[in-house]
Amino acid sequence: MIPRWPVPATRRTARVRRVAAVTVTALAAALLPPLAARADTPPAPPSDAKLAKTAARHDLTREQFYFVLPDRFANGDAGNDRGGLTGTRLTTGYDPTDKGFYQGGDLKGLTERLDYIKGLGTTSIWMAPIFKNQPVQGTGKDASAGYHGYWITDFTQVDPHFGTNKDLKNLISKAHAKGMKVFFDVITNHTADVVDYEEKSYDYLSKGAFPYLTKDGQPFDDADYADGERRFPRVDSGSFPRTPTVPAAKKNLKVPSWLNDPAMYHNRGDSTWAGESATYGDFNGLDDLWTERPEVVGGMEKIYQRWVEDFAIDGFRIDTVKHVDMEFWTQWATALDAYAAKKGRDDFFMFGEVYSADTSVTAPYVTQGRLDSTLDFPFQDAARAYASQGGSARKLAAVFGDDYKYTTDKANAYEQVTFLGNHDMGRIGTFLKQDAPEAGDAELLKKDRLANELMFLSRGNPVIYYGDEQGFTGAGGDKDARQPMFASRTADYLDDDQLGTDRTHAEAAYDTSAPLYRQISALAELRKANPALADGVQTERYAADGAGIYAFSRTDAKTGTEYVVAFNNAGTEKSAAFATGSAGMTFRGLYGTDATVKSGADSKVTVTVPARSAVVLKAAGRLAAPAAEPTISLHAPDPGATGTVELSADVAGGQLNRVVFAAQTGDGKWRTLGTADHAPYKVTHTVDADTPAGTALRYKAVVVDSAGRTASDTALRG
């Protein structure tokens, strides 16, 4: 997400050209193209054996991320603090007494502290953008620096405040040598604020009232060309509702050079963060790229292909994903995946920032946009409600209950990137203090531990936001959540509390004996020793209505070993009885308890969890072999439904069943939709709104049990 600080208040009302509105046709994004009516002999569905071979898991389901802003982590070279610039802070961007300016951290400092990061159990370092930025934007009290990395002018080199491209290669090499991957935070939505308007007016102008015009003056809707299948209309400076212009001193500022063409931007004024402007508007003046244009799609592909090839990068976290049209992601992500695979990087992983707690908003960027994962804002919202606010476990249950929405042929919810707070919204320590302003350090630390346990023991790849392992808090989000790990000189940071210690921000904070550092390290070791706690099948067992216990099983699909994981967010000890996967099975305490429980003939256990704590119990044996073969009944979507539709299957018999779904539109090829490994067995399918009426949609589902036995069913939606 982009920091929303002010821009210069020099804008005044302008004249605009008013032209006839055009009708905007919104085409539903889909993986399958519209096909002609059904063929007499459509291709046969894939065999049960072929579908059964579909992997239940994909790459990166056992990662542990450490998210860091290089400027705020460690200063390894004071010589680059000003980025090679001279003059005041308004020129260099450096002022360690101001939270909105560069503090001095760099890539050399990060490299020197790799062992500290590794000690947390980190498997992947995720860095905020490191590309060259416009050092300062705004004037006077509104001025701020690009220390965060989101105001890019040169996509081909490291920002001099952070070091050099050689420093970056050294960091990646050293991290790889220590068994850690490196991820870049990348941007395709915008660049630094360089493009201006002759009219000096910046309110957002809608496409309906002010359509784009071709070079010949004809109105057109750019969305009609976003899928790249039709030639984009020729445009010029008169094609926009305002006249874009670039100051002479900045005409060649951006790299690559195509970014200096004002016609590569939407040029519609500032975003209001809602409606059409959320994808077409400038973020507080930042130049919003015209991502519907094929030149922008191809240009952004080439920019990031270079980093894949030259720097052995392991993946991308992608900024502001929901502020870019879906067609862009489908094309861009597919191209980057193919390029990485061509370079021998079949495990290249891309996850996007979709800032929403609604799974219906986040999931389509995986199923339609073809990203591998998103930052799990729905989980963050539910985890805070449970661990910090003492809310009902039902909210967590609802989030995990929507996991099927992320399932594709190449991804599923186990790849979701989970987190508790970040550089935009604020830290988990901040939320804990906000939610219980009268609580003491011991209570806050207890809740922080519970939040970490919830993140590390449930499905997904957990993220530690740098400093959280030292108990950092802060006054809020954005700049208030970006304290340096090294000794600070910023007054706004010096009075911030740190949980579990009396240390202040006037001292460096790389304490490996800090209580939260030690807890996170222990959780990482627990997951490493018991991989099922990272990506084992997650089956919900119990969710209290109100404060109390939330429990699920994590089961190793290969060994059949079941782990019972239970949390309690109440202020007192709680007990709950619920089913497991086995009757007469002994479960021994592995984490948080030394108790032993045994399931009854009905497979139920009674588990007791201390206040604001978590426990993990491990089965003494594996699940019993299934007594009966599996059976399956497939249910097609409702007739006539288009857009994202649900497909479900009822399964009986077997044990540790998983269901693989496939679909065919008309006489097209059969496509695998994905795998569901626990009830309810569901998946989504995107049906193009332009699919001709009467086109057959054929579906097949195969269930595979732990003994490898299969059963299948088909369904037709005419």
Side-chain angles (χ1 to χ4, degrees):
M1 197 70 176
I2 300 306
R4 300 180 182 176
W5 28 73
V7 293
T10 60
R11 302 176 173 182
R12 59 183 184 271
T13 306
R15 60 178 178 81
V16 294
R17 293 173 289 107
R18 297 188 178 275
V19 293
V22 293
T23 302
V24 177
T25 304
L27 299 180
L31 297 180
L32 302 182
L35 297 167
R38 69 189 68 171
D40 292 335
T41 55
S47 68
D48 290 8
K50 183 177 181 179
L51 284 180
K53 291 180 180 178
T54 302
R57 291 287 178 277
H58 305 280
D59 294 314
L60 273 82
T61 57
R62 296 180 183 175
E63 296 301 309
Q64 178 183 327
F65 287 91
Y66 189 77
F67 172 38
V68 58
L69 275 67
D71 179 62
R72 303 298 165 99
F73 187 71
N75 191 347
D77 183 0
N80 60 30
D81 288 355
R82 291 171 174 80
L85 303 171
T86 58
T88 70
R89 71 175 196 159
L90 296 181
T91 300
T92 68
Y94 177 69
D95 183 354
T97 68
D98 191 320
K99 62 187 176 183
F101 283 74
Y102 286 95
Q103 306 283 293
D106 49 39
L107 297 179
K108 286 183 178 178
L110 192 55
T111 305
E112 291 169 359
R113 295 283 183 174
L114 286 177
D115 286 339
Y116 169 87
I117 297 172
K118 179 71 174 177
L120 286 164
T122 302
T123 63
S124 293
I125 300 169
W126 153 25
M127 295 186 295
I130 47 79
F131 312 112
K132 186 177 180 180
N133 267 229
Q134 185 155 261
V136 177
Q137 292 189 173
T139 58
K141 67 179 181 179
D142 292 333
S144 188
Y147 69 90
H148 42 72
Y150 293 100
W151 298 343
I152 301 173
T153 57
D154 186 344
F155 286 81
T156 68
Q157 69 165 300
V158 169
D159 190 294
H161 291 84
F162 302 149
T164 65
N165 286 16
K166 183 178 179 181
D167 293 335
L168 177 62
K169 284 190 174 183
N170 185 52
L171 167 63
I172 295 172
S173 176
K174 292 289 181 63
H176 284 173
K178 293 180 182 294
M180 293 185 288
K181 299 172 182 175
V182 180
F183 282 67
F184 283 2
D185 200 320
V186 301
I187 304 167
T188 65
N189 176 63
H190 62 269
T191 68
D193 183 9
V194 174
V195 178
D196 200 357
Y197 306 132
E198 288 185 1
E199 295 80 4
K200 299 298 181 183
S201 177
Y202 304 91
D203 290 341
Y204 185 78
L205 301 178
S206 71
K207 293 200 301 178
F210 304 93
Y212 289 115
L213 303 178
T214 67
K215 193 172 183 179
D216 297 327
Q218 297 300 310
F220 72 96
D221 184 4
D222 63 321
D224 293 340
Y225 304 87
D227 60 9
E229 295 183 3
R230 299 169 58 191
R231 183 182 294 275
F232 200 85
R234 295 178 64 194
V235 299
D236 60 17
S237 61
S239 298
F240 304 96
R242 293 191 179 96
T243 309
T245 183
V246 177
K250 296 185 178 183
K251 283 191 179 295
N252 298 306
L253 180 65
K254 298 178 184 177
V255 182
S257 60
W258 64 267
L259 291 166
N260 293 305
D261 182 354
M264 294 298 145
Y265 301 87
H266 280 132
N267 296 317
R268 291 200 159 271
D270 289 343
S271 176
T272 64
W273 316 106
E276 175 191 295
S277 81
T279 52
Y280 282 83
D282 293 350
F283 279 28
N284 292 326
L286 295 172
D287 300 344
D288 200 68
L289 283 157
W290 202 350
T291 48
E292 291 78 9
R293 291 197 64 151
E295 300 94 333
V296 174
V297 178
M300 282 293 163
E301 288 173 4
K302 289 181 174 61
I303 283 172
Y304 292 116
Q305 284 171 355
R306 182 215 170 204
W307 291 100
V308 172
E309 180 173 10
D310 293 350
F311 288 82
I313 198 69
D314 297 287
F316 295 146
R317 178 270 193 186
I318 309 164
D319 186 61
T320 54
V321 164
K322 74 172 184 177
H323 301 288
V324 176
D325 59 286
M326 188 69 76
E327 292 86 353
F328 175 92
W329 297 121
T330 304
Q331 298 170 79
W332 185 86
T334 300
L336 262 295
D337 267 340
Y339 185 84
K342 183 179 178 181
K343 297 298 179 180
R345 309 299 303 280
D346 290 331
D347 61 347
F348 197 79
F349 186 79
M350 294 180 285
F351 61 100
E353 180 212 34
V354 185
Y355 205 140
S356 173
D358 184 350
T359 57
S360 295
V361 174
T362 57
Y365 292 94
V366 175
T367 56
Q368 296 175 38
R370 304 301 285 168
L371 299 178
D372 297 301
S373 170
T374 67
L375 273 170
D376 205 334
F377 283 90
F379 169 84
Q380 188 280 332
D381 183 63
R384 176 183 179 179
Y386 182 78
S388 182
Q389 298 169 341
S392 170
R394 298 293 176 88
K395 189 169 185 176
L396 279 167
V399 169
F400 293 130
D402 280 351
D403 277 358
Y404 72 94
K405 294 180 180 179
Y406 297 98
T407 301
T408 74
D409 59 316
K410 69 166 202 163
N412 57 50
Y414 291 88
E415 297 173 43
Q416 283 293 99
V417 178
T418 53
F419 69 104
L420 300 171
N422 65 22
H423 60 320
D424 289 322
M425 61 168 46
R427 297 181 177 277
I428 180 60
T430 303
F431 302 146
L432 292 168
K433 291 175 71 69
Q434 290 174 345
D435 295 338
E438 303 303 320
D441 187 71
E443 180 181 344
L444 294 173
L445 198 60
K446 190 84 169 175
K447 289 183 176 182
D448 205 331
R449 290 176 180 273
L450 176 61
N452 285 331
E453 289 163 340
L454 182 59
M455 180 171 65
F456 271 79
L457 299 174
S458 60
R459 66 99 180 108
N461 298 304
V463 178
I464 298 300
Y465 178 42
Y466 86 95
D468 283 358
E469 75 279 7
Q470 296 294 335
F472 283 15
T473 59
D478 203 271
K479 300 175 190 178
D480 288 328
R482 301 171 182 179
Q483 303 90 337
M485 294 284 284
F486 47 92
S488 177
R489 294 165 53 191
T490 300
D492 283 348
Y493 294 151
L494 294 179
D495 59 357
D496 288 346
D497 187 28
Q498 297 180 46
L499 304 181
T501 179
D502 293 328
R503 183 186 58 236
T504 74
H505 282 286
E507 305 171 62
Y510 305 101
D511 182 7
T512 57
S513 66
L516 292 171
Y517 186 102
R518 287 188 285 108
Q519 186 218 13
I520 292 166
S521 298
L523 286 169
E525 283 296 321
L526 181 67
R527 279 169 46 111
K528 184 177 180 180
N530 302 273
L533 296 176
D535 68 355
V537 177
Q538 182 165 315
T539 308
E540 184 172 295
R541 299 302 189 187
Y542 186 89
D545 187 6
I549 288 179
Y550 182 55
F552 48 72
S553 293
R554 303 300 305 271
T555 306
D556 190 317
K558 292 182 179 179
T559 67
T561 302
E562 179 180 6
Y563 296 77
V564 171
V565 183
F567 310 90
N568 175 21
N569 68 341
T572 58
E573 180 180 274
K574 296 286 184 180
S575 297
F578 48 83
T580 66
S582 300
M585 177 67 72
T586 297
F587 292 83
R588 298 189 176 92
L590 180 67
Y591 175 87
T593 181
D594 56 6
T596 297
V597 299
K598 187 173 183 178
S599 59
D602 59 359
S603 300
K604 288 187 175 181
V605 295
T606 298
V607 174
T608 299
V609 187
R612 299 192 180 103
S613 298
V615 300
V616 180
L617 301 101
K618 181 181 180 180
R622 62 177 296 154
L623 293 173
E629 293 188 4
T631 62
I632 186 170
S633 178
L634 179 61
H635 305 287
D638 294 335
T642 59
T644 299
V645 298
E646 292 182 9
L647 186 66
S648 64
D650 295 329
V651 175
Q655 182 74 285
L656 264 187
N657 300 312
R658 64 183 180 91
V659 176
V660 184
F661 296 89
Q664 180 192 48
T665 301
D667 60 355
K669 293 181 179 179
W670 281 85
R671 307 286 184 91
T672 301
L673 297 179
T675 297
D677 64 8
H678 61 80
Y681 298 98
K682 295 175 22 175
V683 73
T684 63
H685 177 213
T686 301
V687 181
D688 195 324
D690 281 358
T691 300
T695 300
L697 295 178
R698 300 178 182 86
Y699 296 99
K700 180 174 181 176
V702 173
V703 59
V704 188
D705 73 3
S706 59
R709 296 176 298 185
T710 64
S712 65
D713 192 21
T714 58
L716 172 68
R717 198 218 75 174

